[in-house]
Amino acid sequence: MRVISMICCATLALAGCSTVYRSSDVIPGAGDGTQVRVVPLNGETVTQANRAPYAPQSLPEAYARSAGTGAGVSVRGAGRLPEAPSTQDGLRNQRLALKRPPAVPEMSYQIGVGDVVMLATPTTRNTLEELTGLLAAQNSRNGYTVQDDGSVNIPDVGRVRIAGLTIEDAEELLFQKLVEAQFDPTFSLEIAEFNSRRVSVGGAVGKPGVLPITLTPLYLSEALAAAGSVSVPDIDVSSVRIYRNGKLYQIPLTDFYASPDLQNTRLISGDAVFVDTDFNLNRAERFFEQQIRLKQTTLAARAQELSELNTAISLRRSDYAEQRSTFEAREVLGANNRDYVYLTGEVDKQTRYPLPYERQASLADALYDAGGGIARETGDVSQVYVLRASSDPREFGAVTAWHLNASSAANLTLATKFQLRPDDVIFVAENPVTKWGRTLRQITPSLITTPVAAAVN
């Protein structure tokens, strides 16, 4: 009993000497020069609190802009392009000049790559067998196509090169091959499809296309007729042009129709025939040459513009990257002017929370981002406050304490809606058990040392 009495007396004595632990708290009313008004948080008071004007700070423009082709990016390119060349309307009175192609010597048809040849041999079978064999021969015709190496592949004989030979020379070569293979050399050779030698016809004709050259010569009049005949609005300014072996020849239509000799101009493989309504060959050549140069100039200008644009974009991108890097370095060093709220009391970490750029921050953001939330063992979830000083100079020292009672978890949704303002102070009170435990820890050393000192004395 004596010891208990001594402990109680020591506790009262220490409390009277103000050595017992004291914790912060939110005390409504006026005192110490501060007027505190406690407002419970609900849907209506959250809306009232959010009416306080505040514009979040903005990031530098370098974060918002891209290095695209906006204002400030200019390209020069090649400047103004040359004018398109003029046509020949001013020269209609000039007469077309005749420039006929040279005569082509008579020569036999030479087998070429792509031609299809058919080799026919006699048979002693009956009529039905002969018909069946004929159909088989027709169906195997593709097997005698002159391939890329100039050869045909004959079953049981092998590959025989016949490209470049006349039909007579090819028959003689095949005769020798059949004898060497011990086959009856009685056969006939004919060309079934002519695919190796062709002439193209285009321009002012009914059906432009490609015509084959067969065993009989192909003449200019026949080629034009096969292409649907000539169709021009004005015969006096039209001509037939033949492109052969890198050279261009011209036959005016008036001369063509008046001369059977010109109509019987023999065509050779590779000729390109074009019926043109233009009337001056040299002028036409210059015109097409100018068109090609104009197109090349246009492409070169676009390439130059693209190069200059890429250079400008690269420079702008580097400039923006430098601005961002400088801003971020200032942020790390604390040189930027930021808006903060402060967290104190029973939170996991007492710190200051920088308000984000370009958006509002809520009470929940600050608690669970910077402060780590309410301290689970020591914090009183029913006593969460946001302390906000009045911005009115006439109310200096007035503080509004927005009170959140989070003992009901549903009230935490109010924390996600409550918007923070610069210099707000978020305070979480300690629970009563924590306050009492801290008081005991503070006075326990005194309770132990006081009886010992008394016994010694």
Side-chain angles (χ1 to χ4, degrees), residues 93-121:
N93 294 328
Q94 295 185 5
R95 189 180 185 280
L96 289 170
L98 172 63
K99 186 179 180 182
R100 65 183 302 171
V104 178
E106 296 287 342
M107 59 184 305
S108 301
Y109 183 86
Q110 295 181 344
I111 301 172
V113 174
D115 287 343
V116 178
V117 298
M118 187 170 66
L119 185 65
T121 57

Side-chain angles (χ1 to χ4, degrees), residues 18-34:
S18 300
T19 58
V20 177
Y21 170 78
R22 294 180 181 272
S23 61
S24 300
D25 203 351
V26 176
I27 303 174
D32 299 331
T34 303

